[in-house]
Amino acid sequence: MRYNALQILRKGLAGNRGWRPAWRKAEPQAAYDVVIVGGGGHGLSTAYYLAKRHGVRRVAVLEKGWIGSGNVGRNTTIVRANYGLPGNSEFYSHSLKLWEGLERDLNYNVMHSQRGLINLFHSDGQRDAYARRGNAIRNQGDDAILLDAEGVRKILPYLDFEQTRFPIYGGLYQPRGGTARHDAVAWGYARGADRLGVDLIENCEVTGIETEGGRVTGVQTSRGRIAAGTVGLAVAGRSSQVAALAGLRLPIESHVLQAFVTEGLKPVIDHVVTYGMGHFYISQSDKGGLVFGGDLDFYPSYAARGNLPMAEHVIEAGVTLMPMIGKARMLRSWGGIMDMSPDGSPIIDRAPVDGLYLNTGWCYGGFKAVPGSGDCFARLLATGEPHPAAARFRLDRFETGHGLMDEEGTGAQHNLH
């Protein structure tokens, strides 16, 4: 079923009866050419691009819960391409370009809104760093505008510009940045992959990875054995646990990142805004809720929930930056399990086991990377060769020290990225 405006009008007038399911409830087959572990944004986009770009359609996506039940449905929905280091810069630029054509490509409304993103700075040193980053972004071919305090005030008049400790000096503005609806992204890719013949298998937990002679032969699951010569892992904060099934130890720590949403309000925040000194970021959803987050909980955990001290820390930063939000009632909070790498940059590479491939280490950046990650991982799975946009995302950089991409300059401490 291909969606169009006339069809939506007809179904609406008929009480929205007659819609077909967006994807099949597939049963696992005995064998596939490729098995992708993880039915979140990265796994679903990989399956879609495998089938569409490379013609590999005997593909299964295995999800231990339901499609989109992990981090793709537990994030603050920000989309941007404002990285400065080689490797990250070209990858996120590639991903943003895919975002800009995604709805047409999928024939699905993912509610991608290029409302603009502004990273505030609060010192002369931060201004210099953002000027350098802006130049790097522009050299990559993307948009970046350095604003002074008055330039920011014209766009964001509701901020507290004269904070005692951290007055606002200006901001780095990327007009093409923005947000997308996280659930819709998962559903759009799931529908697109299903239409191309991919089997999406829900409630199917991988319990073992089979190898023979140093090569993958299949996976054991809660729904039986599935043979496959190629297995891709795209399980975010569960990467270390799933890789351990193949005897691998990854340089990944798992940390919880909380996010929050308020009651629905009239439109007040037109952009995505980040607070450099308070590590706070906020936007307003299409339903009116203010969606915001901050730092990790700072200790390793697999619990998809947060803690009250970090909630207080995040909300304190938010009220400092924009006191008006103190009048909003918070509806709920949630936690996603982040796969934190030592240099804060991702890994898309072969594993030491033949036929096993890794997609992990996304830290805070997993959602905005979904299209680019899927496109690059699909190429690696299909051809064995890295996509040029992800050529630096090698696993061995943590062993050799060559090619590390420490975007924030915070060193090899996972929770500081």
Side-chain angles (χ1 to χ4, degrees):
M1 179 181 291
R2 184 168 180 81
Y3 299 143
N4 58 63
L6 181 59
Q7 181 189 57
I8 292 171
L9 177 61
R10 286 175 174 170
K11 297 292 186 185
L13 293 174
N16 278 314
R17 292 185 295 272
W19 290 108
R20 296 207 305 267
W23 61 85
R24 297 168 291 127
K25 297 293 184 182
E27 294 294 324
Q29 300 178 28
Y32 292 92
D33 293 333
V34 179
V35 164
I36 298 168
V37 184
H42 292 252
L44 294 169
S45 62
T46 300
Y48 174 74
Y49 292 119
L50 262 175
K52 180 170 184 178
R53 298 202 196 285
H54 303 283
V56 182
R57 301 196 176 191
R58 292 188 66 241
V59 177
V61 176
L62 310 183
E63 170 53 48
K64 73 173 183 177
W66 63 91
I67 291 297
S69 59
N71 285 357
V72 74
R74 293 173 174 266
N75 64 77
T76 51
T77 75
I78 298 170
V79 175
R80 58 187 173 92
N82 57 352
Y83 284 72
L85 288 184
N88 285 332
S89 181
E90 52 264 42
F91 172 81
Y92 286 101
S93 176
H94 174 63
S95 192
L96 182 57
K97 291 180 178 71
L98 291 174
W99 275 110
E100 290 173 326
L102 188 59
E103 291 171 324
R104 183 181 298 106
D105 187 24
L106 295 177
N107 180 229
Y108 200 88
N109 181 16
V110 302
M111 301 169 71
H112 181 213
S113 170
Q114 291 183 287
R115 61 189 64 187
L117 178 143
I118 300 178
N119 298 119
L120 302 174
F121 51 80
H122 308 269
S123 68
D124 291 333
Q126 273 196 329
R127 178 195 288 116
D128 292 345
Y130 276 42
R132 289 193 298 272
R133 177 174 292 207
N135 289 335
I137 294 167
R138 289 170 65 87
N139 286 339
Q140 174 60 39
D142 293 312
D143 55 326
I145 303 170
L146 195 69
L147 302 173
D148 61 13
E150 287 307 308
V152 173
R153 194 186 298 272
K154 289 178 182 178
I155 302 174
L156 310 174
Y158 47 80
L159 301 182
D160 182 357
F161 283 80
E162 306 302 330
Q163 302 165 54
T164 304
R165 292 184 64 194
F166 305 121
I168 296 171
Y169 280 47
L172 184 62
Y173 180 33
Q174 183 168 64
R176 290 167 62 217
T179 62
R181 173 69 182 177
H182 45 25
D183 294 322
V185 172
W187 300 334
Y189 272 119
R191 175 176 173 270
D194 176 80
R195 292 178 66 196
L196 293 171
V198 173
D199 282 354
L200 308 179
I201 305 171
E202 301 174 273
N203 301 308
C204 183
E205 181 177 1
V206 171
T207 57
I209 298 175
E210 297 180 350
T211 62
E212 184 176 334
R215 179 170 184 83
V216 162
T217 57
V219 294
Q220 294 286 346
T221 80
S222 57
R223 298 179 64 175
R225 179 183 185 274
I226 300 175
T230 300
V231 176
L233 306 185
V235 291
R238 300 289 180 178
S239 294
S240 296
Q241 292 175 309
V242 177
L245 300 176
L248 301 181
R249 183 181 179 188
L250 298 182
I252 295 294
E253 281 188 1
S254 296
H255 289 258
V256 177
L257 179 65
Q258 296 186 68
F260 310 85
V261 65
T262 72
E263 62 186 327
L265 303 169
K266 292 181 179 180
V268 61
I269 298 178
D270 295 333
H271 304 78
V272 180
V273 184
T274 77
Y275 180 21
M277 299 306 294
H279 203 170
F280 173 83
Y281 37 91
I282 188 168
S283 63
Q284 187 167 15
S285 76
D286 291 328
K287 294 197 296 183
L290 304 182
V291 182
F292 55 93
D295 282 308
L296 296 166
D297 281 4
F298 289 128
Y299 54 86
S301 175
Y302 290 111
R305 60 180 184 271
N307 62 38
L308 289 176
M310 186 54 68
E312 182 180 15
H313 171 73
V314 172
I315 295 167
E316 179 184 59
V319 173
T320 299
L321 178 63
M322 46 183 75
M324 66 179 185
I325 71 170
K327 297 181 178 180
R329 290 176 292 185
M330 195 168 74
L331 290 186
R332 61 186 181 277
S333 66
W334 62 93
I337 307 171
M338 303 293 100
D339 39 328
M340 306 297 293
S341 67
D343 66 351
S345 296
I347 301 164
I348 300 180
D349 201 1
R350 298 168 178 264
V353 178
D354 284 347
L356 184 64
Y357 296 84
L358 305 172
N359 182 326
T360 185
W362 293 100
C363 302
Y364 289 87
F367 182 71
K368 62 180 170 291
V370 164
S373 167
D375 190 30
C376 293
F377 200 34
R379 174 163 172 165
L380 182 64
L381 292 174
T383 69
E385 298 296 325
H387 192 290
R392 293 178 183 248
F393 294 166
R394 295 177 57 90
L395 176 63
D396 66 3
R397 71 182 189 269
F398 303 111
E399 181 179 359
T400 66
H402 177 71
L404 294 174
M405 290 172 285
D406 184 356
E407 191 80 29
E408 295 186 352
T410 49
Q413 190 166 340
H414 299 71
N415 63 359
L416 295 183
H417 293 287

